[in-house]
Amino acid sequence: MKILVCISNVPDTTTKITFTDNNTQFNTAGVQFILNPYDEIALARAVELSEGGKGTVTVINVGEVSTEPTIRKALAIGADDAVRVNAKPHDAYFVAYQVAQYAKDKGFDLILTGRESIDYNGSKVAAMLGEFLDIPSVSIIKKLDVDGSSSTVEREIEGGKEVLTIPFPFVAGTAEGVAEWKIPNMRGIMSARTKPLNVIEAVEVKTLSEITGYETPAPRGTVKLVPADDAAKLIDLLHSEARVI
């Protein structure tokens, strides 16, 4: 089985986010970047499926040279080789198109992504990949099992779960429950240094969206304490200030 895992380079969740150029550019100064946690789940499951010579795992990232430490971590976790598309990831459409152009003639049986990246939370790439490659796509799966030439996946839906059997090839966006995160061991870290990392140039594609500005959340207001026996005042504040009723 040939598996392709799409990985993103995202800011650590503990990072203080700031912007430059009149709030039009993300300020990367002093920011610690990590492997997107949902992509790490996808990678962990891919490694499990390929263990014992059952397959190979390739990771692909659309990003500039600064993302290579993150790619090397993916190799340390267990991927066999990596590809970096040398371009700034403008938006989900751009990323999905670049991945599809690389994957279209490589014969991958399974393409995995995380359910979303923790920076933009778009959940778009998996569906777009399926459309570009004209293969089935299913997003936000909680379980993935392989049986011969097909796979069984589970998704949570309102009031229960949905179980699907999908023939290969297909694309899946993974969420918690598919696999446990893997911590690279020393052997993996050492071997990652010599595993292939192929850098390719991006394919030209029309830009369909543009970020015009960023906004930070409004600061929290002061806390107002209401006496336990003054329900009328509480209701008035919830209606006139919080505007939740």
Side-chain angles (χ1 to χ4, degrees):
M1 177 185 291
K2 290 183 65 176
I3 306 174
L4 179 67
V5 180
C6 307
I7 62 173
S8 300
N9 186 55
V10 298
D12 192 305
T13 53
T14 61
T15 296
K16 183 178 180 180
I17 302 300
T18 60
F19 305 104
T20 60
D21 296 338
N22 196 29
N23 289 338
T24 60
Q25 297 293 326
F26 171 55
N27 184 11
T28 60
V31 174
Q32 176 68 41
F33 284 88
I34 61 172
L35 173 58
N36 182 47
Y38 292 115
D39 299 340
E40 200 166 344
I41 293 172
L43 176 59
R45 187 60 181 138
V47 171
E48 291 173 353
L49 292 172
S50 66
E51 285 177 343
K54 296 178 182 178
T56 60
V57 178
T58 299
V59 293
I60 185 168
N61 167 256
V62 179
E64 298 171 311
V65 68
S66 59
T67 68
E68 291 195 1
T70 295
I71 298 173
R72 289 293 178 190
K73 179 182 179 181
L75 292 171
I77 288 172
D80 297 289
D81 62 299
V83 174
R84 179 173 67 84
V85 180
N86 187 32
K88 183 178 179 180
H90 303 300
D91 56 22
Y93 183 88
F94 180 86
V95 170
Y97 189 83
Q98 301 304 323
V99 174
Q101 288 300 302
Y102 168 77
K104 64 182 181 180
D105 57 357
K106 300 297 188 299
F108 288 107
D109 301 291
L110 179 61
I111 300 177
L112 297 178
T113 75
R115 62 178 290 175
E116 62 189 2
S117 62
I118 63 170
D119 48 3
Y120 289 101
N121 304 100
S123 301
K124 300 175 184 177
V125 171
M128 289 181 176
L129 272 173
E131 181 68 18
F132 284 136
L133 296 171
D134 195 25
I135 59 177
S137 172
V138 58
S139 294
I140 315 183
I141 65 169
K142 295 285 189 173
K143 188 176 181 181
L144 170 62
D145 293 320
V146 172
D147 182 16
S149 60
S150 65
S151 179
T152 300
V153 303
E154 291 185 6
R155 302 174 65 238
E156 288 184 354
I157 59 174
E158 186 175 356
K161 64 181 180 180
E162 180 180 53
V163 181
L164 303 170
T165 299
I166 309 172
F168 296 117
F170 70 93
V171 183
T174 62
E176 307 91 326
V178 170
E180 295 294 329
W181 287 284
K182 292 182 179 293
I183 300 174
N185 56 33
M186 185 55 65
R187 181 179 178 182
I189 294 171
M190 297 300 291
S191 65
R193 298 177 180 178
T194 58
K195 288 182 178 179
L197 197 173
N198 184 28
V199 179
I200 61 176
E201 294 304 316
V203 178
E204 186 175 352
V205 58
K206 185 178 180 180
T207 301
L208 299 182
S209 67
E210 180 183 355
I211 295 174
T212 58
Y214 294 94
E215 293 182 5
T216 55
R220 292 185 178 182
T222 57
V223 175
K224 291 187 177 180
L225 299 178
V226 179
D229 59 353
D230 195 352
K233 184 176 182 181
L234 174 61
I235 293 171
D236 179 64
L237 290 172
L238 291 174
H239 177 71
S240 61
E241 293 190 15
R243 297 182 179 179
V244 294
I245 59 174

